[in-house]
Amino acid sequence: MPGTLDEQLTKYLTDVHSIEEQALRQLRTAPKIAGDPQLARTFADHLIETEGQERRVRERLEARGADLSKTKDLLGRAGAIGMLLFARSQPDTPGKLTAHAFSYEHMEIAAYDLLAIVADRAGDRETAEVARSIREQESGMAARLAAGFDRAVEAPSSGQLTDYLADAHAIEGQAIELLEKGQEIAGQSDLAHVFSDHLDETRSHQAVVRARLEEHDSAPSRLKDAVMRVGALNLGAFFALQPDTPAKLAGFAFAFEHLEIGGYEQLRRVAEREGDLETARVAERIIRDERAAAAAIHGQFDAAMDATLAAQGVA
Ligand SMILES: [Fe+2]
Ligand SMILES: [Fe+2]
Ligand SMILES: [Fe+2]
């Protein structure tokens, strides 16, 4: 059923609303596992900001005449992009928590950028303004988390270098899955090319990480353990529930790249701390690739939204 641009805009607003509700839940528990007073305060401050964001988005929904009791029923589905990224993951160290939070902020950045694009096209200036203003808050929070990467790996329970390497290996495995399926969904498009280029890089990242892991711990059982590790995410669930639009796929992939960036930023620091300069160099090189991939994906947001709206029969 072709929808109108107005209906689509309300749907994206509903999405970001559910993302903020999820953020509220996460931010209420995050300070307890932050393992560091400054990091805990960063989360507590963003909780207050997030309460304001949830309210502003709700007000836009109400102004557009959306029936919140009706949209409530859709939340589980509509918010898939936000829910599933973290639904299966339970960060158990300050380092993982910080990397996941960093990624979540980028998922929000993506969601608000996409919302602003739709609001512009629908001519809803107030919603576009709200989207851009909240986006700046998310971007500020992401920067504060990035500034806290040092502190996160210094916390006593931050984990060992081999843990970080094993996680990186698992995340690259998930990235391969994301990029392969993503190519199918993106169809014949520049986004598909971005995915396919990064897929080659991702395979080589995984091989390099594996080599570093072997260098550290050649015990076959331990290595097999790391290689078999499913990782924090279950992308299968993401694709089962929401394999639908290039726009959401681009937003999700953008956030995923930042999960990788957060992980490698910490791997680099832990490697330096433990005097493994080769791993630190490897991490630095991969971070550059991940950042470039994230920027390339972000550059496709407009085109991905065009393709999404066209497929939905919206002019
Ligand atoms: Fe938010
Ligand atoms: Fe946020
Ligand atoms: Fe990547």
Side-chain angles (χ1 to χ4, degrees), residues 129-209:
E129 225 166 85
V130 165
R132 292 197 170 95
S133 135
I134 295 178
R135 192 244 199 234
E136 286 316 299
Q137 290 182 328
E138 313 296 18
S139 174
M141 176 60 176
R144 287 190 292 280
L145 288 168
F149 281 148
D150 282 325
R151 303 178 69 84
V153 299
E154 279 161 15
S157 57
S158 70
Q160 301 302 308
L161 180 54
T162 47
D163 291 332
Y164 281 91
L165 277 167
D167 280 346
H169 189 278
I171 286 175
E172 293 294 1
Q174 301 268 285
I176 291 168
E177 191 190 334
L178 172 65
L179 293 165
E180 281 173 345
K181 297 229 172 90
Q183 268 179 296
E184 291 167 27
I185 295 165
Q188 297 282 342
S189 67
D190 290 342
L191 182 61
H193 286 138
V194 170
F195 285 160
S196 114
D197 287 349
H198 192 48
L199 181 57
D200 294 338
E201 275 177 350
T202 301
R203 291 200 174 105
S204 84
H205 294 165
Q206 198 188 33
V208 174
V209 169

